């Protein structure tokens, strides 16, 4: 009976591919969360050194567990919802932002054959997903029922859309150079043998200026320093008020 089930079209054509896809998605999610935790820790350490202070150094050896402690605190802290807020959209906004950020990785190859969805329009998929990220920010500002939060969300959305244009031009340049919309094929186009194989990578060729534009635009779109204008302005106002 079990042999017939595992040989059936339902198992081989639907259930087993679904189980593999879910397992791959969970593995990718866990790896991304761990990598993100320590990228954030490195970011905090670097900016602390720039500002001549210590940075995270208490939780765990050299502060290595600080980001994990912050995540646990974030999950356990009390959720405060404004009285006049649209509660459904207020809770959906962060979920939309997080979901859009993670589903973009479905088309990113990590090795030959190591990709969840090897589609022929991977670049277009990234365009579409990155454009949806703006909705989470606008939803959060609008759902709070505060004109100040809404105006701040519009400013953040305007900054995201502005630098998304430059990122789009960089991606178009890469796909024209590689001659394919499939991200796996774009990666394979950089393959070469020998000691100087690194020189065949796109960022080491005439596309190096595109790397600089992409890096700066990525910092600006995600509002990382020194493009954290919204947070920086609030900090300046608080400092002036405290004086």
């Amino acid at each position: 009976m079990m042999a017939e089930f595992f040989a059936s079209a339902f198992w081989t054509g639907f259930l087993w591919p679904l189980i593999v896809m879910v397992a791959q998605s969970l593995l990718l999610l866990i790896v991304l969360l761990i990598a993100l935790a320590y990228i954030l820790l490195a970011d905090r350490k670097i900016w602390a050194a720039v500002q001549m202070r210590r940075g995270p150094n208490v939780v765990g050896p050299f502060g290595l567990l600080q980001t994990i402690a912050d995540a646990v605190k974030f999950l356990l802290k009390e959720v405060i919802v404004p009285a006049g807020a649209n509660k459904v959209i207020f809770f959906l906004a962060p979920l939309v932002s997080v979901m859009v950020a993670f589903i973009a990785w479905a088309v990113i190859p990590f090795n030959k054959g190591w990709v969840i969805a090897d589609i022929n329009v991977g670049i277009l998929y990234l365009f579409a997903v990155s454009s949806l990220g703006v909705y989470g920010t606008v939803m959060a500002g609008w759902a709070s029922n505060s004109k100040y939060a809404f105006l701040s969300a519009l400013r953040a959305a305007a900054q995201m859309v502005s630098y998304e244009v430059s990122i789009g031009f960089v991606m178009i340049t890469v796909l024209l150079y590689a001659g394919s919309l499939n991200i796996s094929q774009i990666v394979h186009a950089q393959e070469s043998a020998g000691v100087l194989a690194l020189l065949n990578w796109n960022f080491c060729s005439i596309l190096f200026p595109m790397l600089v534009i992409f890096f700066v635009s990525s910092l600006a779109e995600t509002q990382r320093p020194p493009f954290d204008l919204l947070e920086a302005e609030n900090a300046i106002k608080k400092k002036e008020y405290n004086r």
Side-chain angles (χ1 to χ4, degrees):
M1 194 67 179
M2 294 296 294
E4 294 179 357
F5 173 74
F6 289 123
S8 63
F10 176 74
W11 171 260
T12 58
F14 174 74
L15 191 56
W16 176 246
L18 179 62
I19 294 174
V20 172
M21 186 176 296
V22 171
Q24 290 176 335
S25 301
L26 290 176
L27 177 61
L28 176 60
L29 182 62
I30 293 171
V31 172
L32 284 177
L33 289 175
I34 296 174
L36 180 62
Y38 288 99
I39 289 174
L40 288 175
L41 179 64
D43 179 81
R44 295 173 66 180
K45 286 281 192 180
I46 292 170
W47 283 107
V50 170
Q51 299 167 2
M52 300 181 67
R53 53 187 178 85
R54 291 181 178 274
N57 64 343
V58 176
V59 183
F62 307 104
L64 293 176
L65 301 179
Q66 181 64 55
T67 307
I68 298 176
D70 291 340
V72 173
K73 181 182 71 173
F74 178 77
L75 292 174
L76 298 179
K77 70 187 298 186
E78 181 183 1
V79 179
I80 300 175
V81 182
N86 187 320
K87 294 180 175 56
V88 176
I89 302 180
F90 191 84
F91 284 107
L92 281 179
L95 294 178
V96 170
S97 299
V98 172
M99 180 185 67
V100 169
F102 281 114
I103 63 175
W105 289 87
V107 296
I108 304 297
F110 295 91
N111 202 342
K112 189 173 183 179
W114 290 21
V115 57
I116 295 178
D118 190 15
I119 56 180
N120 291 326
V121 289
I123 292 291
L124 297 181
Y125 175 84
L126 285 179
F127 272 127
V129 169
S130 61
S131 300
L132 293 175
V134 181
Y135 288 99
T137 303
V138 176
M139 287 170 60
W142 183 82
S144 63
N145 197 27
S146 170
K147 60 183 179 181
Y148 300 106
F150 184 57
L151 289 174
S152 180
L154 291 180
R155 289 180 59 192
Q159 181 173 338
M160 294 170 66
V161 172
S162 300
Y163 288 96
E164 192 175 302
V165 174
S166 59
I167 291 178
F169 279 119
V170 172
M171 296 171 68
I172 290 174
T173 305
V174 173
L175 70 88
L176 290 176
Y177 186 77
S180 175
L181 290 171
N182 188 296
I183 300 179
S184 296
Q185 294 181 12
I186 293 175
V187 175
H188 293 327
Q190 304 175 72
E191 288 182 342
S192 62
V195 180
L196 301 178
L198 181 64
L199 298 179
N200 198 44
W201 291 9
N202 288 339
F203 77 90
C204 292
S205 62
I206 59 175
L207 295 182
F208 181 77
M210 297 295 104
L211 171 66
V212 178
I213 296 174
F214 182 82
F215 179 71
V216 174
S217 301
S218 300
L219 291 178
E221 185 179 357
T222 54
Q223 299 170 12
R224 302 302 302 166
F227 299 96
D228 53 341
L229 304 178
L230 304 177
E231 295 84 355
E233 183 180 358
N234 293 332
I236 292 173
K237 287 182 178 179
K238 289 179 180 178
K239 187 174 181 181
E240 292 178 351
Y241 177 79
N242 291 333
R243 288 180 181 177

